[in-house]
């Protein structure tokens, strides 16, 4: 897991939350990951999509890591949106 940086606008420590939607008709699980700053009111949300195969999680999309990566992106770090 990557370290979560402070808010890109005010530097305040962000909060991370997760909400699950359960399993759909295809046996795919959905979870929403949100990182937010309560001071600035900004947030980013990414979706995880995964299956359980013999008791192990197999990600189709790992929204948890994508959310952290997007939150930590800064204009001067060479990453293009």
């Amino acid at each position: 897991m990557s370290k979560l940086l402070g808010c890109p606008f005010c530097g305040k420590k962000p909060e991370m939350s997760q909400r699950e939607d359960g399993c759909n008709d295809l046996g795919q699980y959905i979870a929403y990951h949100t990182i937010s700053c309560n001071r600035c009111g900004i947030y980013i949300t990414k979706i995880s999509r995964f299956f359980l195969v013999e008791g192990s999680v197999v990600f189709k999309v790992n929204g948890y890591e994508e959310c952290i990566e997007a939150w930590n992106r800064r204009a001067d770090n060479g990453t293009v949106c």
Side-chain angles (χ1 to χ4, degrees):
M1 178 179 101
S2 303
K3 179 183 176 194
L4 195 56
L5 299 177
C7 174
F9 298 104
C10 72
K12 185 179 186 294
K13 182 179 178 180
E15 293 188 19
M16 186 165 201
S17 61
Q18 177 177 309
R19 179 178 60 90
E20 296 87 19
D21 264 358
C23 185
N24 65 18
D25 294 343
L26 303 173
Q28 178 176 283
Y29 290 85
I30 307 289
Y32 298 88
H33 309 278
T34 301
I35 301 173
S36 60
C37 175
N38 291 334
R39 182 181 296 157
C40 294
I42 65 165
Y43 66 92
I44 187 165
T45 300
K46 297 288 183 175
I47 300 172
S48 284
R49 300 178 195 280
F50 58 94
F51 297 91
L52 292 178
V53 178
E54 297 178 8
S56 296
V57 174
V58 177
F59 281 100
K60 186 170 182 177
V61 176
N62 186 343
Y64 178 81
E65 289 296 330
E66 287 182 1
C67 197
I68 292 173
E69 182 180 323
W71 178 269
N72 285 344
R73 187 175 298 131
R74 301 295 189 260
D76 62 351
N77 72 0
T79 305
V80 177
C81 295

